[in-house]
């Protein structure tokens, strides 16, 4: 596989069978790979991480996860490559139960969701660009479960 390489994918008769037992005729698709310069990269350094593991996610403007990396130790450098040019959000999930995914909590069991912290600005990735960012996590980030005015006090 090389940059800007053209491929032709063929599915011959009977290769695909649908729900109604119908089969396909010959299908031909032409695919072309992009050049490396059509993508961007992101290098991220996390500072003041107080607990591990953490999940670092690059999410689109529609909040779908595009890239993800799990940090399990003091290595706080994350590198995402081959990112399509667009605007992205960056978030850090504190994986308290160490299962590798964000857990929404359980109201009936009185379990809080795992904490998520978003990078304060939107990242714009452009073609043939490399972004170098530092995300400083503060020890006193507000806890979403605690409020300034507790009505029960």
């Amino acid at each position: 596989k090389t940059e800007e390489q053209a491929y032709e994918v063929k599915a011959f008769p009977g290769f695909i069978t649908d729900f109604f037992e119908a089969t396909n005729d010959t299908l031909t698709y032409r695919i072309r790979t992009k050049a490396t310069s059509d993508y961007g990269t992101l290098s991220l350094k996390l500072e003041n991480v107080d607990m591990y593991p953490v999940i670092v996610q690059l999410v689109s403007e529609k909040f779908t996860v595009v890239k993800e990396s799990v940090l399990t130790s003091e290595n706080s450098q994350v590198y995402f490559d081959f990112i399509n040019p667009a605007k992205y959000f960056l978030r850090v999930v504190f994986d308290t139960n160490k299962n590798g995914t964000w857990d929404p909590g359980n109201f009936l069991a009185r379990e809080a969701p795992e904490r998520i912290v978003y990078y304060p600005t939107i990242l714009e990735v452009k073609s043939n660009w490399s972004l170098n960012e530092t995300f400083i996590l503060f020890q006193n980030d507000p806890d979403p479960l605690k409020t300034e005015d507790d009505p029960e006090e």
Side-chain angles (χ1 to χ4, degrees):
K1 182 163 93 169
T2 60
E3 291 184 39
E4 299 182 12
Q5 180 72 37
Y7 294 95
E8 184 173 277
V9 178
K10 285 190 177 184
F12 293 106
F15 181 73
I16 300 171
T17 304
D18 69 5
F19 184 71
F20 300 105
E21 299 295 324
T23 58
N24 67 299
D25 196 7
T26 301
L27 303 172
T28 303
Y29 294 99
R30 289 184 176 79
I31 303 169
R32 184 181 245 353
T33 58
K34 291 183 176 181
T36 306
S37 60
D38 291 341
Y39 298 101
T41 61
L42 170 65
S43 178
L44 176 71
K45 182 176 181 180
L46 292 177
E47 292 183 359
N48 294 337
V49 179
D50 58 348
M51 63 174 282
Y52 288 93
V54 293
I55 305 166
V56 180
Q57 295 178 331
L58 187 69
V59 295
S60 69
E61 289 184 302
K62 295 182 179 181
F63 292 98
T64 57
V65 177
V66 177
K67 301 270 185 179
E68 180 177 270
S69 180
V70 178
L71 297 178
T72 57
S73 64
E74 295 294 324
N75 179 13
S76 60
Q77 191 77 24
V78 178
Y79 185 76
F80 295 129
D81 55 357
F82 299 107
I83 304 170
N84 285 318
K87 292 182 181 180
Y88 296 98
F89 294 103
L90 189 68
R91 67 183 175 198
V92 174
V93 178
F94 292 91
D95 191 18
T96 54
N97 62 357
K98 299 176 173 67
N99 66 350
T101 60
W102 177 75
D103 293 305
N106 185 336
F107 179 77
L108 298 176
R110 300 184 59 96
E111 295 174 359
E114 291 178 328
R115 195 174 112 196
I116 298 176
V117 178
Y118 280 87
Y119 189 69
T121 59
I122 295 175
L123 300 174
E124 185 173 1
V125 177
K126 296 184 179 183
S127 295
N128 209 23
W129 275 38
S130 291
L131 293 174
N132 295 312
E133 299 290 330
T134 301
F135 192 174
I136 302 172
L137 300 167
F138 294 103
Q139 301 291 341
N140 58 357
D141 280 336
D143 188 347
L145 299 178
K146 296 179 183 174
T147 59
E148 294 294 322
D149 300 320
D150 191 357
E152 294 184 15
E153 287 184 358

